[in-house]
Amino acid sequence: MNNNILVVDDEKEIRNLLEINLRNEGYSVFKASCGEEALELLDREEIHLMVLDIMMPGMDGLEVCRRVREKYNIPILMLSAKAEDMDKIQGIMTGADDYVCKPFNNLELTVRIRALLRRTYFFNTNIGYSDDIIRIESMLIDKSKHKVTVDDKEVDLTAREFEILYLLAANRGRVFSAEEIFEKVWKERYYQSNNTVMVHMSRIRDKIEQHMEGSKVIHTVWGVGYKIEK
């Protein structure tokens, strides 16, 4: 279930109010009091929707929204004390999916959040965190079709390469040793001198990263193994 919501607002009362209301609706709530804290939480936790205040000291909500859109496709609902049309337009153009003015009605906010989650994760097959479809930046991994695309360009992976990539992508943040990867993918016993995983990892990186403008997807944790960041 896609129910992890990040509430970003510099007003403690609003953060706490939203937390109570959303928890009562069955959502898991993370809170941040500023833009920097919000970006750190996004890198650390799997967030499915962000409620983002525009008017914050330091990094405002529009800048946070721009930075989020560089890495994530989660729906963003913006909050603002401003009601002017241009402010709404600016928020939407920056990458927000919806806009609610303060003071807001709790029921309306909850309904909008529910609608955004439903539209994003149930009706849009191009964005997802399901077991069959995983999106990481501009890369889409479709398990059911055994297909990987980057910016809609198909990446030609072998069956083993696909299985390795999917194993890491489906367990983002977890480090897998070469031994674990070999035994899970090849289903054979691993021997210390075996460099098969290293060779395959190098090929996967070459095939994917040539389409991603230098962006690294698979990270090496020296002396431990490999991972894809959350």
Side-chain angles (χ1 to χ4, degrees):
M1 184 177 180
N2 303 295
N3 66 347
N4 292 344
I5 296 177
L6 173 57
V7 175
V8 188
D9 199 300
D10 61 312
E11 296 184 50
K12 184 178 181 180
E13 294 79 5
I14 290 181
R15 293 197 305 273
N16 291 341
L17 173 64
L18 285 172
E19 179 182 24
I20 293 169
N21 292 334
L22 292 171
R23 286 192 186 279
N24 286 339
E25 294 293 326
Y27 297 109
S28 298
V29 180
F30 298 82
K31 297 184 293 182
S33 60
C34 63
E36 291 82 359
E37 186 181 359
L39 295 174
E40 288 175 7
L41 266 168
L42 272 174
D43 287 336
R44 198 167 66 241
E45 305 290 344
E46 185 168 355
I47 302 297
H48 302 117
L49 181 142
M50 176 186 283
V51 179
L52 177 62
D53 183 35
I54 290 183
M55 302 298 290
M56 294 188 295
M59 188 189 302
D60 67 14
L62 293 174
E63 179 59 26
V64 174
C65 186
R66 290 189 192 96
R67 297 197 186 190
V68 171
R69 281 291 171 256
E70 291 174 0
K71 297 176 68 176
Y72 303 101
N73 287 309
I74 60 170
I76 297 174
L77 187 151
M78 281 191 159
L79 297 177
S80 178
K82 296 184 176 181
E84 288 82 1
D85 287 341
M86 280 309 298
D87 293 305
K88 294 180 183 180
I89 292 169
Q90 189 175 9
I92 299 299
M93 289 184 67
T94 303
D97 298 279
D98 204 351
Y99 191 109
V100 174
C101 296
K102 296 179 181 178
F104 51 82
N105 178 283
N106 289 326
L107 179 58
E108 179 191 0
L109 188 67
T110 302
V111 168
R112 286 176 180 265
I113 287 172
R114 192 180 298 126
L116 277 175
L117 288 170
R118 185 174 63 250
R119 188 163 69 237
T120 302
Y121 298 106
F122 291 95
F123 297 148
N124 189 345
T125 58
N126 290 323
I127 300 173
Y129 300 91
S130 69
D131 291 336
D132 286 337
I133 299 176
I134 300 172
R135 180 183 288 277
I136 300 171
E137 297 184 26
S138 58
M139 178 174 67
L140 189 71
I141 304 170
D142 190 330
K143 184 182 179 183
S144 62
K145 296 179 180 177
H146 225 260
K147 181 179 177 181
V148 177
T149 57
V150 178
D151 287 330
D152 296 324
K153 298 174 183 175
E154 187 167 355
V155 180
D156 185 20
L157 297 181
T158 66
R160 298 288 194 204
E161 290 166 353
F162 181 90
E163 289 179 45
I164 292 171
L165 179 63
Y166 184 81
L167 174 67
L168 297 178
N171 297 276
R172 281 166 286 178
R174 178 182 166 186
V175 180
F176 286 86
S177 66
E179 178 180 354
E180 284 182 289
I181 293 171
F182 185 86
E183 292 184 352
K184 285 181 181 294
V185 173
W186 275 264
K187 296 179 172 41
E188 298 176 12
R189 187 177 175 185
Y190 178 84
Y191 294 96
Q192 196 65 40
S193 59
N194 192 337
N195 68 348
T196 304
V197 171
M198 182 179 68
V199 172
H200 277 71
M201 204 65 72
S202 177
R203 289 175 180 166
I204 295 168
R205 282 170 164 158
D206 288 344
K207 291 179 179 182
I208 291 173
E209 292 173 6
Q210 65 175 311
H211 299 292
M212 299 190 72
E213 299 179 353
S215 177
K216 289 187 68 174
V217 175
I218 300 173
H219 299 267
T220 300
V221 181
W222 295 108
V224 183
Y226 306 92
K227 70 174 180 176
I228 290 177
E229 297 285 4
K230 266 196 173 184

